[in-house]
């Protein structure tokens, strides 16, 4: 008799426990779904960031390439002009031809094409300039 009175109480507790378990399982599934969605969102953000960095790197490389080509063309034009000017004035002013076609031609080419200037280049240019100027001033 005591068992029969206790039985409805046990059934209610069992149903309550089963409902709690169902709620916990549903909450766990929602948490898993939220975690999965957050992971996917993070992966998409990482992909977008990597794509943006790749695009920025490509743009930077393209700008560097254009700049290098501009320096190459400028260096070629200046070197050609200096060489042509040196050849043109060679019969009238040989000292000016030496200045235009000597180490200064190589130094200008290095500055524009290679984008570097060594102190030895500048010393050679100044030395040739001094010797050409002193030779030109002599009768």
């Amino acid at each position: 008799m005591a068992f029969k009175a206790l039985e409805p109480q046990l059934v209610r507790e069992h149903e309550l426990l089963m409902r709690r378990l169902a709620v916990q399982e549903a909450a766990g599934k929602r948490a898993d779904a939220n975690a999965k969605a957050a992971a996917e969102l993070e992966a998409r953000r990482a992909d977008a960031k990597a794509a943006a960095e790749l695009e920025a790197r490509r743009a930077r490389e393209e700008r560097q390439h254009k700049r290098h080509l501009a320096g190459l063309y400028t260096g070629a034009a200046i070197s050609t002009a200096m060489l042509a000017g040196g050849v043109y004035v060679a019969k009238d002013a040989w000292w000016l031809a030496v200045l235009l076609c000597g180490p200064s031609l190589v130094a200008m080419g290095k500055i524009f094409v290679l984008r570097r200037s060594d102190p030895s280049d500048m010393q050679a240019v100044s030395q040739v300039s001094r010797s050409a100027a002193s030779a030109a001033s002599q009768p």
Side-chain angles (χ1 to χ4, degrees), residues 17-35:
L17 185 61
M18 293 307 283
R19 286 181 185 164
R20 283 184 188 165
L21 184 60
V23 168
Q24 285 178 352
E25 285 179 2
K29 287 180 182 178
R30 280 193 308 268
D32 289 344
N34 288 342

Side-chain angles (χ1 to χ4, degrees), residues 8-137:
Q9 177 68 26
L10 288 175
V11 169
R12 282 191 303 269
E13 287 178 7
H14 177 70
E15 286 178 7
L16 182 62
L17 185 61
M18 293 307 283
R19 286 181 185 164
R20 283 184 188 165
L21 184 60
V23 168
Q24 285 178 352
E25 285 179 2
K29 287 180 182 178
R30 280 193 308 268
D32 289 344
N34 288 342
K36 186 177 179 181
E40 288 176 3
L41 180 62
E42 188 63 34
R44 276 190 252 128
R45 285 181 182 163
D47 289 343
K49 183 179 179 182
E53 288 175 358
L54 179 64
E55 186 63 31
R57 184 167 45 95
R58 284 182 183 162
R60 183 177 58 246
E61 288 174 355
E62 185 177 343
R63 283 191 311 268
Q64 288 175 346
H65 179 69
K66 287 180 181 179
R67 185 172 162 219
H68 177 71
L69 285 180
L72 184 67
Y73 295 148
T74 304
I78 289 175
S79 297
T80 304
M82 287 177 70
L83 190 59
V87 169
Y88 181 74
V89 298
K91 51 187 156 174
D92 297 329
W94 63 268
W95 57 273
L96 184 57
V98 169
L99 287 176
L100 291 174
C101 296
S104 59
L105 177 69
V106 175
M108 291 299 288
K110 278 178 83 172
I111 289 171
F112 283 103
V113 176
L114 300 178
R115 297 199 183 280
R116 87 170 198 230
S117 174
D118 297 331
S120 60
D121 294 337
M122 294 302 119
Q123 289 173 353
V125 169
S126 67
Q127 183 181 15
V128 168
S129 298
R130 274 188 255 119
S131 63
S134 66
S137 65

